[in-house]
Amino acid sequence: NLRLLSDLLSQQGYDVRPATNGRQAISSAQFSVPDLILLDILMPDIDGYAVCQALKADERTRDVPIIFISALGDTFDKVKAFALGGVDYITKPFQEAEVLARVRTHLTIRSYQQQLQEQNVLLQQKNTLLENQKQDLRESEARFRGLSEATFEGILIHDKGCILEVNQTLEQMFGYQRSEILGRNILDFVAPESRDVVLRYIQAGDEHPYEAKAIRKDGAIFPIEVQAKAMPYQGRNV
């Protein structure tokens, strides 16, 4: 039976590694992990149930699918076989088409499982990298905020005119609380006579300093010097 099964699978292009007893089967599988195991219930030393139990207890061979083999006249406990981790069973004498169909099916499933495991590993690696990048970004933004709060100049961060962040000096300069500024357009804080020039500089991405007039919360107009600098912030250029 062993020779018949080996010849059948070899002729289909499979690499077959036969074992003549249970202990040899365990050692062989642990030494070089196979993609699929066909396991006879009755063997000279220990039975197939014990072999299956040993393989499932070993981290190296735990995920290898096992198809049990049993003769029609043998007492075969299917519930026990599946409870121990078997995925299928074949009865002797073999029906060649059935054997090949079951082998193909479980090798395909195993291949998909391995691909999924590899994708999960890659996903975990990407998630770890992303978390590290987020942490670096948080630390970078914390450093930026610490430096910006220590300066006497008003600083704001905007994305195409929409204000994302401000420092305390700018709050004091314009007479607003931070929560009143975030999300609004820069032009809301520019005097009407200077809005065209400010808009032109923003659209051009011009980093040269220029003069303009700003408007406080109380409506007072005051002169400012403006200079922009492109920088990365929260994954985008601002």
Side-chain angles (χ1 to χ4, degrees):
N1 278 318
L2 183 61
R3 190 180 306 113
L4 176 65
L5 192 57
S6 296
D7 291 344
L8 171 63
L9 295 172
S10 296
Q11 290 167 8
Q12 297 297 316
Y14 294 111
D15 292 326
V16 183
R17 185 165 12 119
T20 56
N21 60 66
R23 298 188 192 283
Q24 183 186 18
I26 294 172
S27 298
S28 177
Q30 291 173 338
F31 177 75
S32 178
V33 180
D35 295 312
L36 178 67
I37 295 173
L38 302 180
L39 183 59
D40 209 328
I41 297 295
L42 299 180
M43 289 182 287
D45 50 0
I46 57 176
D47 65 22
Y49 299 123
V51 173
C52 180
Q53 199 164 18
L55 293 173
K56 292 303 178 182
D58 191 312
E59 188 175 345
R60 292 167 294 180
T61 54
R62 182 179 301 159
D63 296 327
V64 180
I66 296 176
I67 299 177
F68 280 101
I69 299 174
S70 174
L72 283 173
D74 294 341
T75 301
F76 177 38
D77 191 337
K78 297 177 185 176
V79 174
K80 182 177 180 179
F82 287 120
L84 289 173
V87 296
D88 208 343
Y89 67 92
I90 297 171
T91 55
K92 295 183 286 187
F94 306 121
Q95 298 294 322
E96 292 188 6
E98 179 188 5
V99 171
L100 295 176
R102 292 180 187 275
V103 166
R104 277 194 299 268
T105 296
H106 289 291
L107 283 176
T108 300
I109 294 172
R110 176 62 174 156
S111 176
Y112 287 149
Q113 289 173 336
Q114 290 173 323
Q115 291 176 27
L116 184 60
Q117 289 171 351
E118 291 171 0
Q119 290 172 354
N120 285 338
V121 170
L122 290 175
L123 184 59
Q124 289 173 356
Q125 292 173 344
K126 289 180 179 178
N127 285 339
T128 300
L129 179 61
L130 183 60
E131 284 302 318
N132 291 338
Q133 290 174 339
K134 286 182 178 178
Q135 181 61 29
D136 291 343
L137 184 61
R138 286 192 290 267
E139 292 175 358
S140 175
E141 290 174 2
R143 287 193 299 270
F144 173 81
R145 186 157 187 84
L147 291 171
S148 68
E149 295 298 358
T151 182
F152 294 105
E153 294 181 320
I155 297 177
L156 66 81
I157 300 175
H158 75 89
D159 186 4
K160 299 180 178 62
C162 179
I163 300 174
L164 306 176
E165 189 58 90
V166 298
N167 69 345
Q168 291 180 353
T169 303
L170 190 131
E171 293 178 68
Q172 296 165 0
M173 186 183 297
F174 283 82
Y176 286 93
Q177 296 294 317
R178 177 173 175 271
S179 59
E180 297 177 292
I181 302 175
L182 299 187
R184 293 179 62 179
N185 193 285
I186 284 179
L187 297 182
D188 293 344
F189 305 94
V190 177
E193 59 266 34
S194 293
R195 287 175 183 169
D196 286 343
V197 66
V198 171
L199 182 60
R200 186 165 65 251
Y201 270 80
I202 291 175
Q203 291 175 337
D206 196 324
E207 297 186 359
H208 291 92
Y210 63 96
E211 294 182 351
K213 290 185 178 180
I215 183 169
R216 292 191 177 93
K217 186 177 181 178
D218 61 9
I221 305 295
F222 65 102
I224 56 173
E225 183 182 72
V226 185
Q227 184 171 13
K229 179 69 177 176
M231 59 174 282
Y233 181 79
Q234 294 184 342
R236 50 182 165 170
N237 291 321
V238 295

PDB file of all heavy atoms in Angstrom, residues 39-57:
ATOM      1  N   LEU A  39      -1.501   9.741   6.551  1.00  0.00           N
ATOM      2  CA  LEU A  39      -1.148   9.016   7.768  1.00  0.00           C
ATOM      3  C   LEU A  39      -2.033   7.786   7.963  1.00  0.00           C
ATOM      4  O   LEU A  39      -3.253   7.902   8.144  1.00  0.00           O
ATOM      5  CB  LEU A  39      -1.278   9.957   8.969  1.00  0.00           C
ATOM      6  CG  LEU A  39      -0.898   9.421  10.336  1.00  0.00           C
ATOM      7  CD1 LEU A  39       0.550   8.954  10.355  1.00  0.00           C
ATOM      8  CD2 LEU A  39      -1.120  10.504  11.397  1.00  0.00           C
ATOM      9  N   ASP A  40      -1.399   6.620   7.939  1.00  0.00           N
ATOM     10  CA  ASP A  40      -2.135   5.372   8.156  1.00  0.00           C
ATOM     11  C   ASP A  40      -2.482   5.236   9.637  1.00  0.00           C
ATOM     12  O   ASP A  40      -1.695   5.624  10.500  1.00  0.00           O
ATOM     13  CB  ASP A  40      -1.282   4.183   7.702  1.00  0.00           C
ATOM     14  CG  ASP A  40      -2.149   3.015   7.239  1.00  0.00           C
ATOM     15  OD1 ASP A  40      -3.262   2.856   7.799  1.00  0.00           O
ATOM     16  OD2 ASP A  40      -1.720   2.280   6.341  1.00  0.00           O
ATOM     17  N   ILE A  41      -3.648   4.667   9.905  1.00  0.00           N
ATOM     18  CA  ILE A  41      -4.045   4.455  11.293  1.00  0.00           C
ATOM     19  C   ILE A  41      -3.208   3.353  11.929  1.00  0.00           C
ATOM     20  O   ILE A  41      -2.661   3.512  13.020  1.00  0.00           O
ATOM     21  CB  ILE A  41      -5.535   4.088  11.381  1.00  0.00           C
ATOM     22  CG1 ILE A  41      -6.414   5.239  10.856  1.00  0.00           C
ATOM     23  CG2 ILE A  41      -5.906   3.761  12.831  1.00  0.00           C
ATOM     24  CD1 ILE A  41      -6.351   6.488  11.665  1.00  0.00           C
ATOM     25  N   LEU A  42      -3.081   2.206  11.225  1.00  0.00           N
ATOM     26  CA  LEU A  42      -2.373   1.047  11.774  1.00  0.00           C
ATOM     27  C   LEU A  42      -0.949   1.018  11.274  1.00  0.00           C
ATOM     28  O   LEU A  42      -0.702   0.929  10.077  1.00  0.00           O
ATOM     29  CB  LEU A  42      -3.106  -0.244  11.387  1.00  0.00           C
ATOM     30  CG  LEU A  42      -4.544  -0.381  11.902  1.00  0.00           C
ATOM     31  CD1 LEU A  42      -5.155  -1.688  11.444  1.00  0.00           C
ATOM     32  CD2 LEU A  42      -4.588  -0.272  13.422  1.00  0.00           C
ATOM     33  N   MET A  43       0.016   1.072  12.224  1.00  0.00           N
ATOM     34  CA  MET A  43       1.437   1.015  11.877  1.00  0.00           C
ATOM     35  C   MET A  43       2.150   0.112  12.878  1.00  0.00           C
ATOM     36  O   MET A  43       1.615  -0.191  13.950  1.00  0.00           O
ATOM     37  CB  MET A  43       2.032   2.433  11.864  1.00  0.00           C
ATOM     38  CG  MET A  43       1.553   3.267  10.681  1.00  0.00           C
ATOM     39  SD  MET A  43       2.296   4.912  10.609  1.00  0.00           S
ATOM     40  CE  MET A  43       1.458   5.712  11.965  1.00  0.00           C
ATOM     41  N   PRO A  44       3.367  -0.314  12.569  1.00  0.00           N
ATOM     42  CA  PRO A  44       4.052  -1.316  13.392  1.00  0.00           C
ATOM     43  C   PRO A  44       4.294  -0.923  14.843  1.00  0.00           C
ATOM     44  O   PRO A  44       4.248  -1.769  15.723  1.00  0.00           O
ATOM     45  CB  PRO A  44       5.384  -1.522  12.656  1.00  0.00           C
ATOM     46  CG  PRO A  44       5.119  -1.117  11.262  1.00  0.00           C
ATOM     47  CD  PRO A  44       4.121  -0.012  11.342  1.00  0.00           C
ATOM     48  N   ASP A  45       4.588   0.358  15.118  1.00  0.00           N
ATOM     49  CA  ASP A  45       4.924   0.728  16.490  1.00  0.00           C
ATOM     50  C   ASP A  45       3.800   1.511  17.164  1.00  0.00           C
ATOM     51  O   ASP A  45       3.039   0.973  17.952  1.00  0.00           O
ATOM     52  CB  ASP A  45       6.244   1.495  16.530  1.00  0.00           C
ATOM     53  CG  ASP A  45       6.288   2.639  15.514  1.00  0.00           C
ATOM     54  OD1 ASP A  45       5.304   2.828  14.795  1.00  0.00           O
ATOM     55  OD2 ASP A  45       7.311   3.350  15.465  1.00  0.00           O
ATOM     56  N   ILE A  46       3.685   2.787  16.855  1.00  0.00           N
ATOM     57  CA  ILE A  46       2.593   3.594  17.410  1.00  0.00           C
ATOM     58  C   ILE A  46       1.588   3.883  16.310  1.00  0.00           C
ATOM     59  O   ILE A  46       1.927   3.973  15.136  1.00  0.00           O
ATOM     60  CB  ILE A  46       3.131   4.917  18.017  1.00  0.00           C
ATOM     61  CG1 ILE A  46       3.897   5.729  16.980  1.00  0.00           C
ATOM     62  CG2 ILE A  46       4.011   4.633  19.224  1.00  0.00           C
ATOM     63  CD1 ILE A  46       4.373   7.082  17.491  1.00  0.00           C
ATOM     64  N   ASP A  47       0.312   4.013  16.690  1.00  0.00           N
ATOM     65  CA  ASP A  47      -0.719   4.186  15.669  1.00  0.00           C
ATOM     66  C   ASP A  47      -0.781   5.623  15.159  1.00  0.00           C
ATOM     67  O   ASP A  47      -0.114   6.529  15.678  1.00  0.00           O
ATOM     68  CB  ASP A  47      -2.085   3.719  16.189  1.00  0.00           C
ATOM     69  CG  ASP A  47      -2.602   4.571  17.345  1.00  0.00           C
ATOM     70  OD1 ASP A  47      -2.166   5.728  17.495  1.00  0.00           O
ATOM     71  OD2 ASP A  47      -3.457   4.072  18.098  1.00  0.00           O
ATOM     72  N   GLY A  48      -1.599   5.808  14.131  1.00  0.00           N
ATOM     73  CA  GLY A  48      -1.695   7.116  13.488  1.00  0.00           C
ATOM     74  C   GLY A  48      -2.229   8.204  14.397  1.00  0.00           C
ATOM     75  O   GLY A  48      -1.856   9.372  14.271  1.00  0.00           O
ATOM     76  N   TYR A  49      -3.106   7.824  15.347  1.00  0.00           N
ATOM     77  CA  TYR A  49      -3.624   8.818  16.277  1.00  0.00           C
ATOM     78  C   TYR A  49      -2.500   9.426  17.114  1.00  0.00           C
ATOM     79  O   TYR A  49      -2.434  10.644  17.323  1.00  0.00           O
ATOM     80  CB  TYR A  49      -4.666   8.196  17.207  1.00  0.00           C
ATOM     81  CG  TYR A  49      -5.872   7.624  16.502  1.00  0.00           C
ATOM     82  CD1 TYR A  49      -6.234   6.290  16.674  1.00  0.00           C
ATOM     83  CD2 TYR A  49      -6.663   8.414  15.679  1.00  0.00           C
ATOM     84  CE1 TYR A  49      -7.349   5.756  16.045  1.00  0.00           C
ATOM     85  CE2 TYR A  49      -7.774   7.897  15.029  1.00  0.00           C
ATOM     86  CZ  TYR A  49      -8.109   6.563  15.220  1.00  0.00           C
ATOM     87  OH  TYR A  49      -9.211   6.045  14.585  1.00  0.00           O
ATOM     88  N   ALA A  50      -1.612   8.566  17.617  1.00  0.00           N
ATOM     89  CA  ALA A  50      -0.501   9.041  18.443  1.00  0.00           C
ATOM     90  C   ALA A  50       0.462   9.895  17.625  1.00  0.00           C
ATOM     91  O   ALA A  50       0.997  10.898  18.109  1.00  0.00           O
ATOM     92  CB  ALA A  50       0.232   7.852  19.062  1.00  0.00           C
ATOM     93  N   VAL A  51       0.682   9.500  16.367  1.00  0.00           N
ATOM     94  CA  VAL A  51       1.554  10.282  15.490  1.00  0.00           C
ATOM     95  C   VAL A  51       0.955  11.675  15.253  1.00  0.00           C
ATOM     96  O   VAL A  51       1.642  12.693  15.349  1.00  0.00           O
ATOM     97  CB  VAL A  51       1.769   9.565  14.144  1.00  0.00           C
ATOM     98  CG1 VAL A  51       2.530  10.466  13.173  1.00  0.00           C
ATOM     99  CG2 VAL A  51       2.515   8.256  14.353  1.00  0.00           C
ATOM    100  N   CYS A  52      -0.332  11.692  14.964  1.00  0.00           N
ATOM    101  CA  CYS A  52      -1.023  12.965  14.732  1.00  0.00           C
ATOM    102  C   CYS A  52      -0.929  13.850  15.963  1.00  0.00           C
ATOM    103  O   CYS A  52      -0.641  15.052  15.865  1.00  0.00           O
ATOM    104  CB  CYS A  52      -2.477  12.703  14.369  1.00  0.00           C
ATOM    105  SG  CYS A  52      -3.437  14.208  14.059  1.00  0.00           S
ATOM    106  N   GLN A  53      -1.138  13.277  17.130  1.00  0.00           N
ATOM    107  CA  GLN A  53      -1.085  14.033  18.366  1.00  0.00           C
ATOM    108  C   GLN A  53       0.303  14.634  18.578  1.00  0.00           C
ATOM    109  O   GLN A  53       0.444  15.801  18.981  1.00  0.00           O
ATOM    110  CB  GLN A  53      -1.446  13.110  19.533  1.00  0.00           C
ATOM    111  CG  GLN A  53      -1.874  13.834  20.789  1.00  0.00           C
ATOM    112  CD  GLN A  53      -2.570  12.892  21.763  1.00  0.00           C
ATOM    113  OE1 GLN A  53      -2.463  11.666  21.672  1.00  0.00           O
ATOM    114  NE2 GLN A  53      -3.290  13.457  22.714  1.00  0.00           N
ATOM    115  N   ALA A  54       1.350  13.850  18.284  1.00  0.00           N
ATOM    116  CA  ALA A  54       2.719  14.338  18.442  1.00  0.00           C
ATOM    117  C   ALA A  54       3.020  15.474  17.468  1.00  0.00           C
ATOM    118  O   ALA A  54       3.666  16.461  17.816  1.00  0.00           O
ATOM    119  CB  ALA A  54       3.701  13.185  18.240  1.00  0.00           C
ATOM    120  N   LEU A  55       2.550  15.339  16.233  1.00  0.00           N
ATOM    121  CA  LEU A  55       2.810  16.366  15.219  1.00  0.00           C
ATOM    122  C   LEU A  55       2.070  17.661  15.535  1.00  0.00           C
ATOM    123  O   LEU A  55       2.593  18.761  15.320  1.00  0.00           O
ATOM    124  CB  LEU A  55       2.409  15.852  13.835  1.00  0.00           C
ATOM    125  CG  LEU A  55       3.258  14.696  13.283  1.00  0.00           C
ATOM    126  CD1 LEU A  55       2.652  14.156  11.987  1.00  0.00           C
ATOM    127  CD2 LEU A  55       4.698  15.139  13.048  1.00  0.00           C
ATOM    128  N   LYS A  56       0.849  17.536  16.038  1.00  0.00           N
ATOM    129  CA  LYS A  56       0.072  18.728  16.368  1.00  0.00           C
ATOM    130  C   LYS A  56       0.589  19.425  17.624  1.00  0.00           C
ATOM    131  O   LYS A  56       0.332  20.609  17.838  1.00  0.00           O
ATOM    132  CB  LYS A  56      -1.408  18.362  16.548  1.00  0.00           C
ATOM    133  CG  LYS A  56      -2.095  17.919  15.261  1.00  0.00           C
ATOM    134  CD  LYS A  56      -2.007  18.980  14.182  1.00  0.00           C
ATOM    135  CE  LYS A  56      -2.647  18.538  12.878  1.00  0.00           C
ATOM    136  NZ  LYS A  56      -2.519  19.557  11.810  1.00  0.00           N
ATOM    137  N   ALA A  57       1.343  18.683  18.447  1.00  0.00           N
ATOM    138  CA  ALA A  57       1.910  19.280  19.650  1.00  0.00           C
ATOM    139  C   ALA A  57       3.216  20.013  19.370  1.00  0.00           C
ATOM    140  O   ALA A  57       3.709  20.758  20.221  1.00  0.00           O
ATOM    141  CB  ALA A  57       2.151  18.194  20.705  1.00  0.00           C
TER     142      ALA A  57
END
